[in-house]
């Protein structure tokens, strides 16, 4: 993940998510950890503008420790309410699916 620590541009981040199939959750996590807020919000806006955000979220297979709420809160604090709502909806759905899958394996 060293490559992701200093992503220089939104275009490179988008390329990694869309073409190289990096998990958006892991890319966003690296951007947050490294305080790269401009690329973080730029990537989400670019994906949203091109109708790729939901696709990237649905195809994400990041580890369970990804804190989607942090991403949603960051978007809201940066004035991107629609993106924040999309991420929050994804997080809620993702948690519900994980809970349902866990309850099926308990039986």
């Amino acid at each position: 993940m060293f490559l992701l620590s200093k992503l220089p541009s939104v275009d490179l981040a988008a390329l990694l998510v869309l073409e190289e199939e990096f998990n958006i959750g892991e890319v966003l996590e690296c951007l947050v950890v490294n305080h790269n807020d401009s690329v973080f919000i730029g990537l989400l806006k670019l994906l949203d503008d091109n109708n790729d955000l939901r696709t990237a979220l649905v195809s994400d297979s990041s580890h369970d420790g990804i804190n989607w709420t942090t991403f949603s809160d960051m978007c809201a604090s940066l004035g991107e309410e629609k993106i924040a709502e999309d991420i929050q909806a994804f997080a809620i759905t993702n948690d519900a699916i994980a809970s349902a899958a866990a309850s099926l394996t308990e039986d």
Side-chain angles (χ1 to χ4, degrees):
M1 287 293 181
F2 176 73
L3 168 69
L4 299 178
S5 67
K6 305 244 186 249
L7 280 173
S9 72
V10 172
D11 292 337
L12 178 58
L15 178 71
L16 292 174
V17 171
L18 296 173
E19 298 298 326
E20 298 300 322
E21 299 179 2
F22 278 51
N23 289 311
I24 190 171
E26 292 171 358
V27 172
L28 294 175
E29 183 177 62
C30 288
L31 292 170
V32 169
V33 166
N34 290 289
H35 307 286
N36 201 340
D37 296 353
S38 63
V39 175
F40 171 87
I41 200 63
L43 171 61
L44 290 170
K45 286 170 74 170
L46 177 70
L47 292 174
D48 188 51
D49 290 347
N50 291 313
N51 297 315
D52 291 321
L53 180 58
R54 289 185 180 152
T55 302
L57 290 170
V58 169
S59 65
D60 184 86
S61 60
S62 297
H63 60 85
D64 290 337
I66 297 291
N67 191 340
W68 295 100
T69 303
T70 298
F71 302 155
S72 178
D73 292 347
M74 266 187 78
C75 290
S77 73
L78 294 169
E80 295 297 331
E81 293 295 329
K82 181 190 172 299
I83 295 172
E85 290 171 5
D86 286 347
I87 292 173
Q88 187 176 30
F90 167 75
I92 291 168
T93 303
N94 202 32
D95 288 346
I97 290 170
S99 293
S103 70
L104 289 174
T105 59
E106 291 175 1
D107 295 338

